[in-house]
Amino acid sequence: MRDLIEVIAKALVDNPDAVQVKEIAGEQSIIIELKVAPEDMGKVIGKQGRIAKAIRTVVKAAATKQNKRVVVEII
Amino acid sequence: MKSIEALGKTVEDAVEEGLKKLGVTRDKVEVEVLEQGSKGIFGIIGARPSKVRLTVKNDYASIAKKFMSDVLEKMGIQCNIEVEDSEDALKVNLVGPKMGILIGYRGETLDALQYLLSLVVNRENKENEYKRVILDTENYRKKREETLIRLANRLAYNVERYNKSIRLEPMNPYERRIIHAALQNNPKVVTRSEGEEPFRRVVIELKK
């Protein structure tokens, strides 16, 4: 799941090297923290969070396949 | 977009030189002649080389294919990716088993993937050279269109019969357009959209 978010984030930003993804596994759900360069924040959030929403939707679909719940946080 | 300048005795030579530097073939670049060279007198005095600028064209198809195959691999989905780069849009079709997971509720996942894909494909483009991207699987887009047209006609009939306007559920612009288009020539009803994105919805009313 971590890798999926990394692939998507790196394809969207200008500084792919600054992309950091951390996975915190909980009992029922996984929290994934996505960190990008400050100037790339807009590239992963988008107008009214449209990009962030799309990323979450794709991740949710992948997680459903593995019967897991994933929360994506952009920090 | 990557671009370089190259020199050569003639324009052709300069182009050759540039292609060698870039390591691509002629059909992948756009050529702009900056200086038409001259041979000069006796080929010595006043001889000037030709100068060209080569710009590598965006290869949408391979960008799209690369991104989709990376994402699908990480999602643990195996399928073939067919890409067709036509004049008006880049069409990407996914073929494989269990595509339902990629479509999601009312095509939600497919739309999200399509949106991300179009961002990646248009990343280096300015607004005026925007490339439309259509992501599809199992002919979902066509089937959904047919469903929406049927729905539109059925609801229009109800509006007329019960003399009551009907509000549809929120839809994206593309789906709303299908409803509007389907009822455009209906003599009994009119359609309009109300609300703000992403909750904008179509309303079907009786024509006054």
Side-chain angles (χ1 to χ4, degrees), chain A residues 3-4 7-8 10-14 48 50-51 53-55 57-58 60-62 64-66, chain B residues 67 70-72 74-77 98 101-102 108-109 111-113 115-116 119-120 123 197-198:
Chain A
D3 295 349
L4 173 63
V7 164
I8 297 173
K10 284 195 170 174
L12 294 171
V13 300
D14 290 331
Q48 295 177 7
R50 203 174 156 203
I51 302 173
K53 194 175 167 221
I55 295 175
T57 304
V58 172
K60 200 171 77 189
T64 313
K65 199 164 168 280
Q66 301 171 9
Chain B
F67 178 71
D70 283 353
V71 168
L72 292 169
K74 300 296 181 211
M75 287 178 84
I77 292 167
K98 288 197 193 153
I101 198 157
L102 276 182
E108 165 186 70
T109 310
D111 286 340
L113 275 171
Y115 180 55
L116 293 174
L119 287 173
V120 172
R123 230 174 81 93
E197 293 285 5

Side-chain angles (χ1 to χ4, degrees), chain B residues 79-131:
Chain B
C79 69
N80 271 331
I81 304 163
E82 296 167 355
V83 185
E84 188 196 327
D85 190 358
S86 67
E87 190 69 19
D88 59 326
L90 183 77
K91 289 181 185 155
V92 181
N93 192 29
L94 307 174
V95 186
K98 288 197 193 153
M99 290 292 103
I101 198 157
L102 276 182
I103 297 173
Y105 176 71
R106 300 269 155 93
E108 165 186 70
T109 310
L110 196 64
D111 286 340
L113 275 171
Q114 173 176 290
Y115 180 55
L116 293 174
L117 180 63
S118 89
L119 287 173
V120 172
V121 167
N122 286 297
R123 230 174 81 93
E124 316 217 326
N125 279 356
K126 292 175 201 80
E127 247 165 67
N128 52 8
E129 44 188 332
Y130 180 79
K131 184 86 183 177

Side-chain angles (χ1 to χ4, degrees), chain B residues 36-48:
Chain B
Q36 194 85 38
S38 84
K39 275 190 181 136
I41 305 159
F42 310 123
I44 308 163
I45 308 155
R48 279 187 294 114

Side-chain angles (χ1 to χ4, degrees), chain B:
Chain B
M1 236 184 281
K2 203 171 156 192
S3 97
I4 60 157
E5 286 173 15
L7 299 171
K9 258 187 217 161
T10 61
V11 169
E12 262 323 294
D13 284 349
V15 171
E16 278 300 315
E17 186 62 33
L19 290 177
K20 224 186 282 172
K21 267 194 225 166
L22 286 168
V24 296
T25 49
R26 182 74 176 77
D27 56 320
K28 293 281 194 301
V29 294
E30 258 163 56
V31 178
E32 189 189 337
V33 179
L34 299 174
E35 256 171 65
Q36 194 85 38
S38 84
K39 275 190 181 136
I41 305 159
F42 310 123
I44 308 163
I45 308 155
R48 279 187 294 114
S50 298
K51 198 173 179 187
V52 295
R53 177 180 292 139
L54 303 185
T55 307
V56 180
K57 277 192 240 169
N58 272 345
D59 189 357
Y60 295 118
S62 55
I63 297 173
K65 201 159 185 171
K66 170 88 175 56
F67 178 71
M68 277 323 291
S69 69
D70 283 353
V71 168
L72 292 169
E73 190 210 314
K74 300 296 181 211
M75 287 178 84
I77 292 167
Q78 277 155 356
C79 69
N80 271 331
I81 304 163
E82 296 167 355
V83 185
E84 188 196 327
D85 190 358
S86 67
E87 190 69 19
D88 59 326
L90 183 77
K91 289 181 185 155
V92 181
N93 192 29
L94 307 174
V95 186
K98 288 197 193 153
M99 290 292 103
I101 198 157
L102 276 182
I103 297 173
Y105 176 71
R106 300 269 155 93
E108 165 186 70
T109 310
L110 196 64
D111 286 340
L113 275 171
Q114 173 176 290
Y115 180 55
L116 293 174
L117 180 63
S118 89
L119 287 173
V120 172
V121 167
N122 286 297
R123 230 174 81 93
E124 316 217 326
N125 279 356
K126 292 175 201 80
E127 247 165 67
N128 52 8
E129 44 188 332
Y130 180 79
K131 184 86 183 177
R132 213 156 82 90
V133 176
I134 300 171
L135 181 66
D136 198 3
T137 183
E138 291 178 344
N139 223 0
Y140 174 80
R141 302 267 178 226
K142 180 82 193 150
K143 277 192 244 164
R144 178 80 180 142
E145 184 181 341
E146 284 164 4
T147 309
L148 286 172
I149 293 173
R150 266 201 310 275
L151 174 80
N153 288 322
R154 204 177 62 226
L155 292 178
Y157 173 75
N158 283 347
V159 167
E160 183 196 333
R161 190 168 159 205
Y162 301 113
N163 193 9
K164 218 173 152 189
S165 57
I166 293 179
R167 293 165 81 217
L168 278 69
E169 63 176 274
M171 288 175 193
N172 64 35
Y174 175 74
E175 295 194 340
R176 290 200 307 272
R177 216 193 109 244
I178 294 173
I179 305 272
H180 288 307
L183 297 178
Q184 199 179 18
N185 294 322
N186 188 311
K188 301 280 172 51
V189 299
V190 284
T191 59
R192 62 182 171 83
S193 294
E194 67 173 33
E196 291 299 315
E197 293 285 5
F199 303 108
R200 217 166 147 72
R201 39 171 69 187
V202 178
V203 180
I204 307 174
E205 297 170 318
L206 210 61
K207 205 175 244 177
K208 277 160 204 145

